[in-house]
Amino acid sequence: MDIVEKIIRENCWRFDKGYPDSQEDINYLKTLIEQQYNLFSDEELDSITIKVKKETGVDLEKIDKNTKEKILDIVGDDELTDEEIKRIKNLVSGFKFEEDFYNYTKSKGLSDKSQKAIFNRASQMGELPEVVSYIKSSKPKFEESDEGNILTLFSDSGLSDDFLLWLYSYTIGAGDDILGVGRMEEFIIFMFDNTINPPKGDAGLKDGTEIEVKGNNAKIWGQKNGILNSTGFKIGQKSIDREFSKLLDSPYIGQFQKMSKPDEKGKRKTLVKGDTALDSILIKNVKQAVDQGVDLDNIHQAILNILFDFYNTDTTQEEIKTYVTKDVITDQKKLNKAMFTAQLVAYSKAEGWRYLWLGIPDLGTYKVYEVKDIPAAVESGEIIINSKLGLGNVFRAKLN
């Protein structure tokens, strides 16, 4: 039993749930641990010092106070396990690499949380020497990445595949003092020579160029810059009714799914099948209008007016006009692809990024696109539309 577990068991009555369950409990536990450390007799400390040195080769009298306290938290009454010995050795070896590591990560602008997480993971994996060696080495520039797999791109880095894949999938998530950060972003900032954590956006180059990072099935939107969020899309029925009522007696505005109340077994039945994909709704109205002899120019303008309600800035509306042309509005697949391309390009211009990094974190694969290459990539099927724009839904993309 290690010291922390022992303290918790001896003081469980002090916590409402019998164990630390809140930040207040954790702060109190830290106080107890500090008190316990201060209560060690000289004889007990001597005994622990001899035990640790004998089983790990680490001399507690020659290391810093912080590392010493962490080691004392690990040591229990029984003999040290292989895992505990490894943890202690990694803690001590990490001490001499801290300065180089944190100087580098601070220069990259990584958050304190990310810095600590990467350092601790490298320490746990026994990979700090290799990480610091990589930090000091000549690293590739972001522009050289192109496409492939990060394990191949960094095969000469000296870092293990396990560490590289962990870092590629790592995210700091979201908290009270930070915005959510997606996977692959910290990897890009850490691994390339000329990347930094920018004031805004996912990742960036030192010259101010922005990089948008998207994983598989990522949402393609930017509601703060002229693309409405999923709640806003629900106004689409009003837009469709308003515009196609000028051309048709009974325009089709789609429908939301309706379910029955649960039966005795908790099962529900579908009363109304949902039809909320915008391309599907639009094409039904287009076909009806064409059958009734409505001029294609008028139909095209109706679609543009509807989409302008979704994309409500000059920048985004210009891309809609560029890609959603008259020749695509009678073909559902072409119409959907045109709307997707317009949104992705508009997203880049509204947000101000130049590069799009699309990747699959679990596999290590990726491809980098410049904004000018996006339309061709969508057209060729390299960038796959994985979810349709709809009434309450947004486009999603993934790498083929």
Side-chain angles (χ1 to χ4, degrees), residues 1 9 30-31 39 98 114 122 124 129 135 140 175 235 261 278 286-287 301 314 320-321 386 398:
M1 183 189 306
R9 290 194 179 187
K30 288 179 180 177
T31 301
L39 288 174
E98 279 188 349
S114 293
Q124 291 167 10
I135 284 171
I235 69 170
K261 293 182 179 180
L278 195 58
V286 170
K287 288 181 177 178
Q301 190 59 54
D314 291 342
I320 291 296
K321 287 189 284 187
N386 209 37
K398 70 176 184 179

Side-chain angles (χ1 to χ4, degrees), residues 137-170:
S137 69
S138 176
K139 294 173 284 295
K141 294 186 181 298
F142 178 82
E143 295 89 339
E144 300 168 8
S145 52
D146 193 30
E147 66 175 305
N149 193 294
I150 56 110
L151 300 182
T152 303
L153 181 61
F154 293 100
S155 60
D156 296 328
S157 66
L159 303 174
S160 69
D161 288 357
D162 286 343
F163 178 78
L164 288 170
L165 287 173
W166 173 83
L167 184 57
Y168 196 49
S169 296
Y170 170 72

Side-chain angles (χ1 to χ4, degrees), residues 59-94:
D59 190 342
L60 294 182
E61 295 179 352
K62 295 182 179 180
I63 61 176
D64 66 296
K65 181 182 176 182
N66 184 50
T67 305
K68 185 175 182 177
E69 290 178 356
K70 289 179 180 178
I71 291 175
L72 290 174
D73 287 346
I74 295 172
V75 179
D77 298 329
D78 303 322
E79 290 187 10
L80 293 172
T81 65
D82 290 343
E83 180 60 29
E84 288 170 338
I85 291 172
K86 182 179 178 181
R87 287 171 63 195
I88 290 172
K89 288 182 176 180
N90 286 341
L91 278 172
V92 176
S93 66

Side-chain angles (χ1 to χ4, degrees), residues 101 104-105 110 114-135 149-151 154 157-171 184 186-188 190-191 361-362 364:
F101 179 88
Y104 175 76
T105 52
L110 289 169
S114 293
Q115 294 179 50
K116 291 175 183 177
I118 297 170
F119 183 88
N120 290 338
R121 185 69 176 194
S123 177
Q124 291 167 10
M125 297 177 72
E127 202 149 342
L128 273 174
E130 290 77 13
V131 170
V132 172
S133 176
Y134 177 74
I135 284 171
N149 193 294
I150 56 110
L151 300 182
F154 293 100
S157 66
L159 303 174
S160 69
D161 288 357
D162 286 343
F163 178 78
L164 288 170
L165 287 173
W166 173 83
L167 184 57
Y168 196 49
S169 296
Y170 170 72
T171 172
M184 303 180 290
E186 308 296 76
F187 177 91
I188 291 169
F190 187 90
M191 293 299 296
D362 296 339

Side-chain angles (χ1 to χ4, degrees), residues 35-265:
Q35 291 174 347
Q36 183 69 36
Y37 172 68
N38 293 331
L39 288 174
F40 282 137
S41 67
D42 291 341
E43 291 78 11
E44 287 173 317
L45 284 174
D46 287 343
S47 175
I48 292 173
T49 300
I50 293 170
K51 176 181 180 179
V52 170
K53 188 170 184 179
K54 178 182 177 182
E55 298 190 35
T56 69
V58 173
D59 190 342
L60 294 182
E61 295 179 352
K62 295 182 179 180
I63 61 176
D64 66 296
K65 181 182 176 182
N66 184 50
T67 305
K68 185 175 182 177
E69 290 178 356
K70 289 179 180 178
I71 291 175
L72 290 174
D73 287 346
I74 295 172
V75 179
D77 298 329
D78 303 322
E79 290 187 10
L80 293 172
T81 65
D82 290 343
E83 180 60 29
E84 288 170 338
I85 291 172
K86 182 179 178 181
R87 287 171 63 195
I88 290 172
K89 288 182 176 180
N90 286 341
L91 278 172
V92 176
S93 66
F95 174 67
K96 63 183 179 182
F97 295 114
E98 279 188 349
E99 184 176 359
D100 287 332
F101 179 88
Y102 284 109
N103 283 342
Y104 175 76
T105 52
K106 287 175 183 176
S107 74
K108 288 284 195 169
L110 289 169
S111 70
D112 289 344
K113 186 173 182 179
S114 293
Q115 294 179 50
K116 291 175 183 177
I118 297 170
F119 183 88
N120 290 338
R121 185 69 176 194
S123 177
Q124 291 167 10
M125 297 177 72
E127 202 149 342
L128 273 174
E130 290 77 13
V131 170
V132 172
S133 176
Y134 177 74
I135 284 171
K136 295 179 177 180
S137 69
S138 176
K139 294 173 284 295
K141 294 186 181 298
F142 178 82
E143 295 89 339
E144 300 168 8
S145 52
D146 193 30
E147 66 175 305
N149 193 294
I150 56 110
L151 300 182
T152 303
L153 181 61
F154 293 100
S155 60
D156 296 328
S157 66
L159 303 174
S160 69
D161 288 357
D162 286 343
F163 178 78
L164 288 170
L165 287 173
W166 173 83
L167 184 57
Y168 196 49
S169 296
Y170 170 72
T171 172
I172 64 174
D176 294 335
D177 58 342
I178 53 172
L179 294 175
V181 176
R183 296 196 292 174
M184 303 180 290
E185 295 174 23
E186 308 296 76
F187 177 91
I188 291 169
I189 295 166
F190 187 90
M191 293 299 296
F192 290 102
D193 178 69
N194 59 335
T195 47
I196 58 168
N197 189 17
K200 65 183 184 74
D202 296 341
L205 303 184
K206 292 178 180 178
D207 65 4
T209 302
E210 290 187 33
I211 304 164
E212 180 71 9
V213 183
K214 293 291 184 184
N216 244 19
N217 203 35
K219 292 178 180 179
I220 304 298
W221 66 353
Q223 68 270 28
K224 293 180 181 178
N225 291 293
I227 302 173
L228 297 180
N229 61 27
S230 56
T231 302
F233 287 138
K234 291 181 180 178
I235 69 170
Q237 286 186 314
K238 293 181 180 178
S239 302
I240 295 164
D241 185 53
R242 181 193 69 219
E243 293 301 323
F244 276 107
S245 288
K246 300 173 185 177
L247 309 177
L248 303 171
D249 293 333
S250 301
Y252 176 68
I253 62 171
Q255 56 191 14
F256 291 97
Q257 184 182 43
K258 292 184 180 179
M259 304 293 292
S260 67
K261 293 182 179 180
D263 59 21
E264 295 177 352
K265 296 182 179 180

Side-chain angles (χ1 to χ4, degrees), residues 2-16:
D2 66 24
I3 288 173
V4 175
E5 184 180 356
K6 183 179 180 181
I7 292 173
I8 292 174
R9 290 194 179 187
E10 290 177 352
N11 294 274
C12 60
W13 59 275
R14 299 177 186 270
F15 305 110
D16 291 339

